[in-house]
Amino acid sequence: MRQIPRRFLAPTLAIFAAIFLASGAARAAQASPEIPAGAPGIAMHGDPALKDPFDHLPYADPNALKGGRLTIGFLGTFDSLNPFNLKAGSTAQGMNGNVFETLMTRSLDEPFTLYGLIAQSIETPDDRSSVTFRLDPRAHFSDGEPITSADVRFTFELLKTKGRPQQRAAYSLVKSIDTPDALTIRYDLTGIGDREMPLTLALMPVLPRHKIDLSKFDDASLAIPTGSGPYLVADVKPGQRVILRRDPHYWAKDLPVRRGLYNFDEIDIEYFRDANSLFEAFAAGLLDFREETNPARWTNSYDFPAIRDHRMIRQALPSGGPKGMEGFVFNLRRPLFDDIRVREALGLVFDFEWINTNLYNGLYKRTKSFFDDSELASTGRPADAAELALLEPFPGAVREDVLQGTWRPAATDGSGTDRIEPKRALALLKDAGYDIENGRLTKAGQPLSFEIMVKDRNQERLALNYADALARIGVTATVRQVDEVQYQRRRQKFDFDMMIGTWLASSSPGNEQRSRWGSASAAQEASFNLAGVKSPAVDALINAMLAAKTHEDFVAAVRAYDRVLLSGFYIVPLFHSPDQWIAASSKLARPAVLPSHGPASGGATLDTWWRAKP
């Protein structure tokens, strides 16, 4: 049994080797030495690692068996098969990557490198002020219609106006789009100063112009979609089940980039209303794969018959790549959290050591950076000259201990009665104008109280423990559990005081940071800027990341960015597991080689797995 991925149905991470390269003296004269005319790949920094020609992805097995069914489960429900618009409802898993494809696709062997898929080549000058894609003439949708530049232009203009907030924000920066022929698309990016934009556009899905009804694009729909990917939607049971079936006419099935991928004939995606039902279905052998996120269950509940007789295999795999941040996030749209002293004080009360020992069997590590356990993390490293130069225009944006790399989240002796950090918290709150009256912290007669919104029992358990600790210093935190639909609506409209937020990290953070922490996203409904941060320093450092030409400049920008976020005390950092906990059917197999970037030491997605036994 080898590694299984953290997120199965993410967009496919494969590489397409172009064999029809663009030529011509004029194009060659315009191309930069960094990205040659008609190059089959592009790296955010440096050169792509894979050189044309190659036989298959390094982490795919071209001899993988084809056939069989993979059955997996998800928590929740769905009422739409449209993943491109938030107004379209709760989208079923499995659409992106399996049904819909992008112009280019990412390699998990590199921090951020794309190789051709629908677009067989890319061309961009050294300043990346434009980008030109050349489509593969063999590419077609599942109904046989060829993919043309008109489909790409249609998709761009559609998602620019009706897509997700991140797409609308990014695509609105493009100056113009030109389609001189059926296979060529050129974007003018003059003056935007974003070296990542060519890659952002390369990751745009391509939708069929002849199938999309613009008047209904915003609607939740269970109509069977038409894409260009390796699978078709074969059956839908609303809210309960989606079955994907391999497309026998998939246009790219024989390309080197696809060798060893998409090995199951069918993928059965089942939905469950509660976590216990999902686990019991796996334990009963009704599902083939499970990622465990509950440490108590991982420690105590994996002793069922299928594990004992080796029909299921359980593993803890080292998790590679930067660890993202999860934490209790303060909604700065609430005046209560305007004062940074209040935010820092409330964070001091969280007793990780006691919680980890008593609730989580000591399986977690405290998270201390937004890019923990990687070269991008600032914690433990003093700022170098390059970082200091980036931070110079923003005096006071970074605390001295964060600047020196010595800051750490508060720690206790684990007894549950340690008074050192609570005393520090009370001192900060006193400085912020709070006094204790009848056992409660008040300011101008108003108590320090707020609500923590949670979505399940695991979050509730953690939040209740935190609320108890806050109560001991006179803070009233009310924990409220809401159902998934209400949770998502309130999250998207920022209708909460505090909630648990999660920000996954990659080896190449970039444009997505604008929707997480950029000032423009603070008022953008459904953005991931849960805290409502509006910081000139944050905005400038995101721009510095996107403008970095060298890896060294990029690392300096990310570390400076990490320091500014930590200094803002926008969240109470939680914890992460150094391992990925998975269990799966022993009938599954995977390639021997794992990619170097991604979850669980770069574990390949289930796209690379196959059924070794019936």
Side-chain angles (χ1 to χ4, degrees):
M1 178 67 193
R2 301 185 180 96
Q3 179 176 337
I4 296 182
R6 176 174 298 273
R7 292 288 180 265
F8 156 57
L9 292 167
T12 308
L13 297 166
I15 304 166
F16 172 53
I19 60 176
F20 296 101
L21 298 181
S23 61
R27 174 169 289 187
Q30 295 174 358
S32 83
E34 179 181 330
I35 305 296
I42 180 174
M44 183 63 191
H45 304 106
D47 298 319
L50 294 175
K51 307 301 179 184
D52 184 48
F54 56 90
D55 184 70
H56 61 278
L57 288 171
Y59 48 88
D61 186 343
N63 298 314
L65 297 177
K66 301 287 186 181
R69 171 181 283 201
L70 174 72
T71 304
I72 57 173
F74 286 93
L75 187 64
T77 186
F78 68 92
D79 59 8
S80 177
L81 299 181
N82 176 5
F84 305 114
N85 192 296
L86 285 173
K87 296 179 181 178
S90 299
T91 307
Q93 298 283 348
M95 298 298 104
N96 289 323
N98 292 298
V99 177
F100 299 106
E101 290 185 316
T102 52
L103 286 168
M104 304 183 78
T105 192
R106 194 168 185 166
S107 168
L108 279 179
D109 259 350
E110 304 167 65
F112 193 12
T113 297
L114 305 180
Y115 294 90
L117 185 58
I118 293 173
Q120 67 176 13
S121 67
I122 183 173
E123 175 185 344
T124 184
D126 184 57
D127 63 0
R128 297 192 178 178
S129 59
S130 68
V131 62
T132 301
F133 298 101
R134 183 75 177 172
L135 304 185
D136 191 319
R138 295 165 292 185
H140 64 77
F141 293 107
S142 60
D143 62 358
E145 286 293 312
I147 299 176
T148 70
S149 59
D151 295 298
V152 178
R153 183 177 195 137
F154 169 81
T155 304
F156 172 79
E157 292 173 346
L158 175 63
L159 298 182
K160 180 180 176 180
T161 57
K162 294 189 174 184
R164 290 178 171 267
Q166 301 92 322
Q167 293 170 321
R168 298 199 303 267
Y171 299 167
S172 66
L173 298 175
V174 174
K175 301 300 182 181
S176 65
I177 178 174
D178 183 34
T179 51
D181 59 55
L183 297 178
T184 305
I185 306 95
R186 183 182 186 277
Y187 295 94
D188 181 0
L189 310 177
T190 305
I192 69 173
D194 183 346
R195 296 184 60 80
E196 192 181 74
M197 186 57 73
L199 288 83
T200 300
L201 293 168
L203 289 174
M204 185 186 78
V206 180
L207 306 181
R209 182 179 58 150
H210 63 287
K211 286 286 189 178
I212 303 294
D213 184 344
L214 292 177
S215 66
K216 298 181 179 179
F217 185 73
D218 290 343
D219 300 339
S221 173
L222 293 172
I224 302 301
T226 298
S228 63
Y231 288 95
L232 307 170
V233 177
D235 190 29
V236 179
K237 185 176 291 186
Q240 301 177 49
R241 186 184 195 189
V242 176
I243 294 180
L244 304 179
R245 185 169 296 142
R246 193 210 309 269
D247 182 359
H249 305 295
Y250 176 45
W251 71 275
K253 63 181 179 180
D254 295 321
L255 294 176
V257 69
R258 291 312 194 209
R259 288 182 184 142
L261 298 181
Y262 308 114
N263 301 311
F264 300 103
D265 284 343
E266 288 190 350
I267 302 172
D268 185 353
I269 307 168
E270 305 278 352
Y271 281 80
F272 297 82
R273 291 284 185 171
D274 64 84
N276 287 334
S277 297
L278 178 58
F279 175 75
E280 292 301 328
F282 176 76
L286 301 178
L287 304 175
D288 293 314
F289 161 75
R290 174 178 176 81
E291 179 190 6
E292 186 56 71
T293 57
N294 184 323
R297 183 182 286 127
W298 179 250
T299 303
N300 302 316
S301 300
Y302 281 81
D303 190 30
F304 47 84
I307 292 288
R308 291 196 296 268
D309 61 20
H310 305 294
R311 286 180 286 121
M312 293 286 182
I313 306 298
R314 171 179 176 267
Q315 283 190 312
L317 304 170
S319 188
K323 308 303 183 298
M325 178 65 78
E326 184 173 27
F328 288 103
V329 58
F330 299 101
N331 187 352
L332 271 63
R333 302 169 188 86
R334 304 289 201 253
L336 174 68
F337 299 129
D338 280 344
D339 195 322
I340 192 173
R341 293 170 295 184
V342 172
R343 303 197 299 269
E344 182 182 3
L346 297 180
L348 292 173
V349 182
F350 183 78
D351 191 346
F352 166 72
E353 285 71 23
W354 188 93
I355 288 173
N356 192 36
T357 300
N358 292 274
L359 301 187
Y360 302 129
N361 301 98
L363 294 177
Y364 284 129
K365 291 175 57 179
R366 187 77 189 269
T367 304
K368 56 189 183 299
S369 164
F370 285 82
F371 308 95
D372 217 351
D373 295 344
S374 78
E375 68 171 343
L376 303 178
S378 66
T379 312
R381 299 180 173 100
D384 61 18
E387 289 183 67
L388 293 174
L390 290 169
L391 293 169
E392 186 177 6
F394 309 101
V398 177
R399 284 174 32 142
E400 185 62 27
D401 53 350
V402 177
L403 196 68
Q404 296 302 322
T406 58
W407 175 87
R408 296 292 188 279
T412 71
D413 61 11
S415 67
T417 58
D418 194 330
R419 298 297 299 167
I420 295 176
E421 299 304 335
K423 286 180 179 178
R424 288 180 58 202
L426 287 170
L428 280 170
L429 291 167
K430 185 174 182 59
D431 289 344
Y434 284 91
D435 293 301
I436 295 180
E437 295 182 7
N438 300 319
R440 301 181 68 187
L441 280 166
T442 62
K443 181 179 181 180
Q446 296 297 315
L448 179 49
S449 63
F450 55 90
E451 179 185 271
I452 305 176
M453 182 179 72
V454 298
K455 63 178 180 178
D456 56 41
R457 291 181 180 179
N458 290 329
Q459 287 193 355
E460 182 183 43
R461 185 187 189 197
L462 177 62
L464 286 171
N465 184 278
Y466 182 35
D468 286 344
L470 290 168
R472 289 195 287 271
I473 66 167
V475 177
T476 302
T478 303
V479 178
R480 182 179 180 190
Q481 182 178 341
V482 298
D483 63 37
E484 181 70 18
V485 173
Q486 184 179 1
Y487 179 86
Q488 291 300 333
R489 286 175 181 168
R490 290 184 60 182
R491 189 206 73 77
Q492 291 173 8
K493 294 182 179 296
F494 310 119
D495 182 19
F496 63 88
D497 298 332
M498 174 182 279
M499 62 175 284
I500 296 176
T502 301
W503 297 268
L504 301 178
S506 76
S507 299
S508 184
N511 256 307
E512 77 285 352
Q513 300 300 317
R514 285 177 167 155
S515 68
R516 296 181 178 189
W517 303 103
S519 296
S521 66
Q524 188 178 76
E525 185 174 317
S527 80
F528 294 99
N529 191 345
L530 301 178
V533 172
K534 296 180 180 180
S535 164
V538 166
D539 296 337
L541 291 168
I542 293 174
N543 290 337
M545 277 188 265
L546 296 172
K549 288 188 175 182
T550 67
H551 180 69
E552 292 74 18
D553 288 345
F554 175 73
V555 171
V558 177
R559 288 181 183 172
Y561 176 67
D562 188 35
R563 296 184 201 277
V564 172
L565 291 179
L566 291 173
S567 296
F569 293 97
Y570 303 121
I571 67 170
V572 180
L574 292 181
F575 36 73
H576 63 270
S577 171
D579 299 321
Q580 180 189 357
W581 306 322
I582 61 94
S585 169
S586 60
K587 295 179 180 180
L588 299 183
R590 68 146 178 88
V593 178
L594 298 176
S596 57
H597 290 266
S601 300
T605 70
L606 281 177
D607 298 336
T608 66
W609 284 69
W610 65 92
R611 185 166 290 278
K613 300 176 184 178

